[in-house]
Amino acid sequence: MIETSKIRNLSIIAHIDHGKSTLSDRILELTRAVDPREMREQYLDTMDIERERGITIKAQNVRVNWKGYTVHLIDTPGHVDFGYEVSRSLAACEGVVLLVDASQGIEAQTLANCYLAIENDLEIVAALNKIDLPAADPDRYAAEIENVLGIPADSILRVSGKTGQGVDALLDAVVERIPAPKGNPADPLRALIFDSYYDQYRGVVSSVRVVDGTLHSHDRLRFMQAKTTHGVEEIGARMPVPVPLDELGPGEVGYLISGIKDVGLARAGETVTTIEGGSPDPLPGYRHPKPMVFCGLYPVDGDEFEDLREALEKLRLNDSSFTYEPETSLALGFGFRCGFLGLLHMEIVRERLEREFDLSLIATAPSVEYLVHTPGKEEPVVVDNPSEMPAAQSIAKIEEPYLKIDILSPSEYTGTIMDLCQTRRGEMLSMSYISPERIELTYRIPLAEVVMDFFDALKSRTKGYASLDYEPAGYHESDLVKLDILLNAAPVDAFSAIIHRSKAYDYGRKMTVKLRELIPRQLFDVPIQAAVGGRIIARETVKARRKDVLAKCYGGDITRKRKLLEKQKEGKKRMKNIGRVEVPQEAFISALRLEEGN
């Protein structure tokens, strides 16, 4: 067992792409935790998709030794969709390394993560990374950090995660400034699970932080939230290769394997104690992340429905933060309604399903969860799918989720950002200068306006310089309507949307024009209509294909030709009444891409 005074637990937190994973690589090299022959970039990122996109999706922990101290290091994601991973990691630490890019300065997620660390009462070691870049200006950004966060500029370290410059001084500062964990090895065991993933050979592997007492390799454990009991199969530490140990003392971070086959029984925030002489009081734990964005996932080939169900079950073992339930669509057949933490999370889950399980999927347009109040009922109806919306005449009011967003940007883009937020129904809360050249804007804005393409629009309007952070800001009443797309007077549920009344016409117009291009001509005219309630607000027509019935008429009496054309018209009328419009799969995919693109 390691003496608690010789342990330091820390997370590396930063805005996306400020060099967390690269700094972790240099720390692994400097502490000789990894053989130089086996070293590779983004060593702690284990998923192929993480390595390809160059982003961290799952927090990873590793134990290294530095000058007689044991340092537990947790590399966290930077993207706002995975903020819950950061908050969970911080609960296992006494301090953080706050990393800021020396060529870009403070960004939105830097502030959000720093405030998280302050809320958790953690010691902050600030460092400016990428000082080897020609555009780096560490003095200017050190002054900015002091101005905004109150961290003295002379205490901010200068490092380069790429070259390794200053990393040894950073580790010295970690040992010196971050306090040792508290805890008595003789107390009843209390250990916090802060992450779990599923290993197909060993079952659930949980990352644990021992808070009080000692965890032994022969213990029988009680999982306090799940109310289940399990024996320890193996405990150990990641160095970064898993190394089995006989015991983990207070303050130590390691892994626990106890033969569990369902990640739901070892959720993040679970408190583990021993069956005999265990603690009666659980640790505070975490709020479970709540899905914010919903979409339908349907197999392109209807026969793959069971394969999709199996794939979702397996993927959920590794990522318990998304939800799914079966649903059916007249247009797309059988599929699942899935809930995600954000658009990037949705994109990654979909990509993993297609790549790891070899599925071809159609995703419907992303939507959010609305609260629909009906007369005479106290409880609102929760609607995350336009097809579940009650009839317009039975709706008293509709509430939609709002976000509080923080945008950091060079001040020259203030006008274009304000214009973007106002067109998305945003309401300004505050505006402040964090330095003469940089501004922070805070808006309250509907989540539905953000999930489509707000982030892309913000980046393109500010040439990539603006950064965005958001947090939920409750539900508020809005003037929303359900917009239906009708083909030959029959509604197509896959194209339905819940939208603000002021934007219904534009959306309906775009969809009808796009569908007119995508739907092949039939033997009869096909009207494509956009309707709100019973009122048609836009219409396009796919003109009928016409068989040349006059091909055999060479000259002759005009009345004979008229008779043939009239006869053809009568036949088409009959066909129109009984004809069902064939919509090819490509039309659905292209039309739903249009929604993503808008």
Side-chain angles (χ1 to χ4, degrees):
M1 190 191 305
I2 305 165
E3 196 183 316
T4 52
S5 63
K6 293 289 186 184
I7 296 174
R8 298 291 182 270
N9 296 325
L10 70 131
S11 282
I12 302 180
I13 58 172
H15 187 77
I16 190 166
D17 209 24
H18 277 204
K20 294 177 295 299
S21 297
T22 311
L23 180 64
S24 302
D25 289 347
R26 293 298 79 75
I27 290 172
L28 292 178
E29 277 183 353
L30 191 63
T31 56
R32 304 229 165 100
V34 179
D35 190 307
R37 290 171 298 181
E38 293 175 9
M39 194 62 203
R40 58 170 196 262
E41 282 188 23
Q42 285 177 265
Y43 191 89
L44 294 177
D45 291 344
T46 51
M47 281 191 257
D48 289 343
I49 196 166
E50 288 181 311
R51 309 182 69 75
E52 279 173 29
R53 287 174 176 247
I55 58 172
T56 301
I57 294 166
K58 292 290 285 178
Q60 302 289 347
N61 69 83
V62 64
R63 178 188 286 194
V64 297
N65 293 306
W66 179 252
K67 296 184 178 177
Y69 287 84
T70 297
V71 178
H72 293 121
L73 169 74
I74 302 175
D75 177 25
T76 61
H79 196 281
V80 64
D81 278 16
F82 304 112
Y84 75 99
E85 290 271 345
V86 180
S87 62
R88 293 192 326 206
S89 305
L90 295 185
C93 301
E94 277 75 40
V96 296
V97 170
L98 178 70
L99 216 53
V100 178
D101 189 323
S103 63
Q104 292 180 329
I106 291 177
E107 302 276 17
Q109 279 297 104
T110 316
L111 288 175
N113 289 335
C114 183
Y115 294 148
L116 260 180
I118 292 166
E119 276 171 35
N120 283 276
D121 202 20
L122 302 181
E123 184 66 37
I124 297 169
V125 178
L128 284 159
N129 191 21
K130 306 190 185 181
I131 58 167
D132 56 304
L133 290 180
D137 191 349
D139 294 335
R140 176 182 156 198
Y141 291 121
E144 187 176 282
I145 292 170
E146 181 171 13
N147 181 31
V148 177
L149 299 173
I151 298 167
D154 55 6
S155 72
I156 297 167
L157 297 149
R158 318 288 171 92
V159 300
S160 167
K162 189 174 180 182
T163 65
Q165 181 185 344
V167 177
D168 50 351
L170 177 66
L171 284 169
D172 288 339
V174 161
V175 167
E176 191 183 315
R177 296 188 208 169
I178 292 178
K182 297 179 177 69
N184 184 349
D187 285 349
L189 173 70
R190 288 200 304 170
L192 176 73
I193 292 178
F194 63 90
D195 196 19
S196 291
Y197 72 91
Y198 185 78
D199 181 291
Q200 58 180 341
Y201 301 111
R202 314 206 61 183
V204 175
V205 181
S206 300
S207 297
V208 293
R209 154 75 197 265
V210 179
V211 178
D212 296 313
T214 308
L215 175 61
H216 298 95
S217 57
H218 53 74
D219 281 342
R220 294 276 303 158
L221 300 177
R222 181 159 56 90
F223 286 65
M224 296 176 85
Q225 281 179 13
K227 297 182 173 54
T228 55
T229 58
H230 302 277
V232 174
E233 286 187 5
E234 183 178 304
I235 58 171
R238 296 187 175 94
M239 299 186 182
V241 178
V243 175
L245 298 171
D246 289 330
E247 61 183 23
L248 291 172
E252 290 190 61
V253 175
Y255 67 87
L256 163 69
I257 301 171
S258 49
I260 301 173
K261 294 291 181 273
D262 177 6
V263 171
L265 297 177
R267 285 188 185 279
E270 176 70 85
T271 303
V272 177
T273 188
T274 48
I275 294 175
E276 292 171 17
S279 170
D281 305 316
L283 294 160
Y286 317 104
R287 286 197 310 271
H288 198 61
K290 190 170 176 283
M292 294 173 73
V293 177
F294 296 82
C295 84
L297 287 179
Y298 294 85
V300 169
D301 179 355
D303 295 341
E304 290 184 345
F305 174 73
E306 282 304 322
D307 297 341
L308 176 58
R309 183 199 295 276
E310 212 171 286
L312 284 165
E313 275 173 18
K314 285 180 179 169
L315 198 59
R316 190 166 158 79
L317 290 172
N318 274 350
D319 182 359
S320 61
S321 57
F322 78 92
T323 60
Y324 66 93
E325 55 185 40
E327 72 167 3
T328 55
S329 156
L330 291 172
L332 299 172
F334 292 100
F336 291 90
R337 190 84 190 155
C338 302
F340 307 95
L341 301 172
L343 276 190
L344 179 70
H345 188 215
M346 172 179 133
E347 204 180 307
I348 280 165
V349 167
R350 180 176 157 188
E351 195 170 324
R352 287 184 69 187
L353 286 168
E354 290 183 339
R355 182 186 296 200
E356 294 173 26
F357 302 97
D358 200 25
L359 295 166
S360 296
L361 301 174
I362 297 173
T364 63
S367 69
V368 300
E369 212 168 54
Y370 299 95
L371 300 180
V372 180
H373 294 262
T374 49
K377 284 190 182 174
E378 281 186 30
E379 286 296 309
V381 181
V382 178
V383 173
D384 60 37
N385 188 347
S387 62
E388 294 168 3
M389 183 71 106
Q393 59 270 23
S394 64
I395 295 174
K397 65 174 182 177
I398 303 173
E399 292 183 312
E400 65 175 327
Y402 272 68
L403 297 177
K404 178 172 161 270
I405 63 169
D406 285 308
I407 300 168
L408 267 70
S409 163
S411 50
E412 68 208 71
Y413 301 114
T414 308
T416 186
I417 293 171
M418 289 168 77
D419 177 59
L420 172 67
C421 292
Q422 275 154 10
T423 56
R424 301 300 180 96
R425 301 190 281 132
E427 174 196 328
M428 184 188 277
L429 300 178
S430 69
M431 175 170 131
S432 58
Y433 282 84
I434 60 172
S435 73
E437 305 85 24
R438 309 225 313 146
I439 194 164
E440 181 184 6
L441 293 161
T442 305
Y443 271 85
R444 202 174 60 121
I445 194 167
L447 172 59
E449 297 287 348
V450 175
V451 298
M452 279 296 184
D453 65 337
F454 184 85
F455 189 65
D456 295 342
L458 179 68
K459 285 290 184 191
S460 64
R461 285 183 181 220
T462 60
K463 300 180 183 168
Y465 284 111
S467 60
L468 171 75
D469 178 52
Y470 58 74
E471 59 182 62
Y475 278 78
H476 299 275
E477 187 179 346
S478 291
D479 185 13
L480 300 167
V481 291
K482 180 189 173 189
L483 184 134
D484 285 310
I485 300 293
L486 315 176
L487 290 184
N488 205 17
V492 182
D493 54 351
F495 297 138
S496 297
I498 298 169
I499 200 160
H500 195 265
R501 194 181 295 276
S502 65
K503 300 196 171 187
Y505 173 75
D506 286 342
Y507 180 85
R509 187 99 210 98
K510 278 176 186 156
M511 278 302 279
T512 52
V513 169
K514 184 74 176 171
L515 285 169
R516 190 192 68 196
E517 295 165 12
L518 294 168
I519 292 172
R521 291 168 74 182
Q522 320 281 321
L523 288 171
F524 50 91
D525 283 359
V526 177
I528 304 166
Q529 297 163 311
V532 172
R535 194 165 64 88
I536 305 298
I537 59 169
R539 170 181 170 137
E540 292 287 330
T541 305
V542 179
K543 285 303 198 185
R545 257 197 332 229
R546 190 178 135 192
K547 184 182 174 188
D548 191 359
V549 290
L550 306 181
K552 293 177 184 171
C553 298
Y554 306 107
D557 186 2
I558 188 72
T559 53
R560 182 167 173 241
K561 292 181 183 176
R562 283 214 184 105
K563 218 183 265 179
L564 286 169
L565 289 169
E566 288 299 321
K567 194 175 172 187
Q568 183 185 42
K569 205 186 280 182
E570 286 299 317
K572 281 191 176 167
K573 245 187 210 157
R574 273 203 316 277
M575 189 181 280
K576 189 171 182 175
N577 290 336
I578 59 169
R580 204 166 150 270
V581 184
E582 286 297 316
V583 183
Q585 205 79 56
E586 295 73 43
F588 280 110
I589 295 168
S590 302
L592 293 170
R593 283 215 179 108
L594 158 100
E595 295 187 27
E596 286 172 22
N598 283 335

